[in-house]
Amino acid sequence: QQQPHPQPMNFWTPATAAFVSSAANAAASGKMGDVNSQAMMNMAESMGKHFLETGWAKAVPGLERSLIALRVYFAVDNAYVKRKMLKVLCPFMFREWRRVENQTVQTQDGNVNYVTSYELPQNDENAPDLYLPSMSLLTYVLLCALCYGTAGKFDPEVLPAVTTKCLGTQLLEVIAIRIGLYLMEVSIPLLDLASYTGYKYLGLSINMLSGLTLGHFFGYGHRAYYFTFLWTAAATSYFILKVMANNIPVRTSAAGPKRQVMVLGFAASQFATCWFVSQTKFLE
């Protein structure tokens, strides 16, 4: 029997119409900055759901499952992003690090099962997301390109080179953490680790921005970068320390490494990786 072809994807949905209407009204009034960013998020969510429902995602093996798994990591709003940025850059100010849990009851064949799930990032500032790490990585790569450009050394290969170095370092970091967790017989989702180790790019972007700004006006680019680096690297390390301490159970494998040593090692590794991917060669 011949398989039906997926219907052409229609991008003109009610959410798209609402966003375009609000953008047109803002343009007519000369207030483009007043366009509600929440409308843009609603449009993106609607298009994503439509993409899954029309069958295009099913045409590629494994794509639909991957998109569904990734969707929860991008369920963010403006309030969450602001809170998360503050928590990553100033983690010493916070005391609560536990994720919000939801417990549901499922009955099957007379057996009652309690299923525990976690709140989405937009409802829990302690939930991991991939939106902030990905946007921070993009910002950091562009700032590095700007650094090379202001020094007259820009080359198109800078963008993929910096991106590859960052992602390659992060991949090795995630693998090392997974090995440590395996030895302790602890399981943390791979995408959670990718999220936690990706928050370092926010601090790296702040470092590069301060280095470029003070280097341009006062000629203290290197000093400004590393002065800011001490704060952001320490903040990222403390952030990972608290996150891992709350994700790794108190009781782990007796034959594996000690929990305290591994948690401290995961936190200390942030200093090394942040320093390794820093691009300060052409700062003034």
Side-chain angles (χ1 to χ4, degrees), residues 85-247:
M85 290 177 66
L86 181 61
K87 197 157 195 173
V88 172
L89 294 176
C90 303
F92 317 103
M93 300 168 50
F94 296 86
R95 294 292 180 267
E96 182 57 49
W97 293 89
R98 292 185 179 181
R99 296 182 62 179
V100 179
E101 296 182 352
N102 289 326
Q103 194 171 63
T104 57
V105 180
Q106 293 183 352
T107 304
Q108 185 177 8
D109 298 333
N111 298 322
V112 178
N113 298 320
Y114 294 92
V115 179
T116 301
S117 60
Y118 294 104
E119 281 283 1
L120 296 175
Q122 60 189 4
N123 300 321
D124 180 16
E125 65 181 19
N126 292 321
D129 74 285
L130 290 173
Y131 173 81
L132 186 57
S134 58
M135 293 297 103
S136 299
L137 173 60
L138 177 61
T139 303
Y140 178 62
V141 171
L142 294 177
L143 286 174
C144 290
L146 179 61
C147 176
Y148 277 71
T150 54
K153 303 293 184 179
F154 178 76
D155 186 270
E157 295 299 323
V158 170
L159 297 175
V162 175
T163 304
T164 302
K165 184 176 182 179
C166 290
L167 293 179
T169 302
Q170 185 180 359
L171 178 61
L172 294 176
E173 184 180 9
V174 170
I175 292 175
I177 294 176
R178 284 298 293 264
I179 293 175
L181 295 176
Y182 174 78
L183 294 176
M184 291 188 294
E185 297 183 2
V186 175
S187 177
I188 296 180
L190 183 63
L191 291 178
D192 284 11
L193 295 179
S195 171
Y196 295 138
T197 56
Y199 288 123
K200 67 167 65 69
Y201 300 123
L202 176 60
L204 289 168
S205 298
I206 300 296
N207 300 342
M208 184 59 69
L209 183 61
S210 64
L212 287 171
T213 303
L214 295 183
H216 177 74
F217 289 104
F218 305 105
Y220 295 111
H222 273 94
R223 295 181 183 179
Y225 182 95
Y226 284 110
F227 180 80
T228 312
F229 174 87
L230 292 177
W231 175 268
T232 57
T236 304
S237 297
Y238 185 79
F239 176 84
I240 292 296
L241 175 70
K242 300 300 291 185
V243 165
M244 287 299 177
N246 279 272
N247 278 275

